[in-house]
Amino acid sequence: MPELPEVETVVRELRPRLVGRRIAAVEIGRHSLRRPWSPDWTALLLGQRVDDVARRGKWIVVGLKGGLRLVIHLGMTGQLLVRPTKQPLAPHTHLVVSLDRGREQLRFRDVRRFGSATLFADGERLDRFFDEAGLGPEPFDLCPDYWRSRLAGTSRCLKAVLLDQRVVAGVGNIYADESLFEARLHPTVLGREIDSRQAERLRRAVVTVLNRAIEQRGSSIRDYVGGSGARGEYQKEFRVYGRPGEPCPRCRTPVERIRLAGRSTHFCPRCQRAC
DNA sequence: ATAGGCGCCTGCTGGC
DNA sequence: TGCCAGCAGGCGCCTA
């Protein structure tokens, strides 16, 4: 569910609420997440102070002063929030980290449990984990030559390339569709079929769309809320995502929906062409 | 190399 | 009203 703009919003909202605070207690729920929580991790975290909160692709990285890295992926329905301890725990809360003297807690909630929480000993091990996963560059740091050559070298369609975290990190189903609309490129066009001008248009479109979404604090369709519990607003600005049959905001042609790369894909059949 | 299908989970919606 | 299929911001594994 949450893509780069939502994760970035969580990170920005958590940072001032977490940095400098000490971990007083850690509790784990009964249900397992995508990756198992090692019991050792609980003890390692106790007494540690938060140094910073960062993002890499769709991963949230809570850095502790001693070097530990608590890494969280929100999956489809994850929420990471700071709440007063006296506030009742919402159902599907899987990790609770009490802060300072326990007046507040960092809570990880995830209805579908496609998310994960993992601890790494230090930044080096975390970097190795990202390397081994082949996690690609951040969209904002995409080198135009790299991007062009990745597209030129593949016979996958543009939609599939955008969703591939090894090519570029952080883009998911919503922002893939919105970026392709912004770039006026058809999602079924193959990477090797577009020229360098179109590749550059797509690169810029991704950056533009992601930045717009971050400004609106991400998109809330149903589950997503930021680190302070507030919903995002970008869902009000979707041009094609989730709007099949509605008029294209540019030419009024009805937006189409197809199945591509296993995902629901939205586009304007008139504005989005191969060339 | 790539497409397609499935599985992991829960909850909501729409059609009958 | 009730049931059930289909769908959902992700991702990894398998097969062909």
Side-chain angles (χ1 to χ4, degrees), chain A residues 4-23:
Chain A
L4 187 151
E6 290 74 37
V7 176
E8 177 65 24
T9 302
V10 169
V11 164
R12 289 184 184 185
E13 294 182 0
L14 285 181
R15 194 174 286 134
R17 292 170 166 83
L18 290 182
V19 170
R21 306 193 68 179
R22 212 178 57 87
I23 294 177

Side-chain angles (χ1 to χ4, degrees), chain A residues 151 154-161 180 184-195 198 202 260 272-275:
Chain A
L151 288 168
T154 187
S155 50
R156 299 151 83 196
C157 65
L158 296 178
K159 170 81 183 234
V161 176
L180 286 165
R184 304 191 188 208
L185 289 165
H186 198 285
T188 61
V189 169
L190 308 186
R192 59 174 158 76
E193 289 176 330
I194 66 171
D195 60 30
Q198 294 167 324
L202 181 55
L260 205 55
Q272 294 175 254
R273 304 278 175 125
C275 39

Side-chain angles (χ1 to χ4, degrees), chain A residues 47-64:
Chain A
Q48 296 292 322
R49 212 172 271 281
V50 176
D51 191 33
D52 79 321
V53 185
R55 179 191 60 74
R56 177 75 176 90
K58 298 176 194 173
W59 299 86
I60 298 165
V61 180
V62 180
L64 288 308

Side-chain angles (χ1 to χ4, degrees), chain A residues 225-244:
Chain A
V225 293
S228 57
R231 287 166 59 84
E233 303 290 338
Y234 194 67
Q235 66 281 2
K236 296 170 186 165
E237 321 230 343
F238 290 166
R239 314 278 210 263
V240 287
Y241 182 84
R243 305 187 54 200

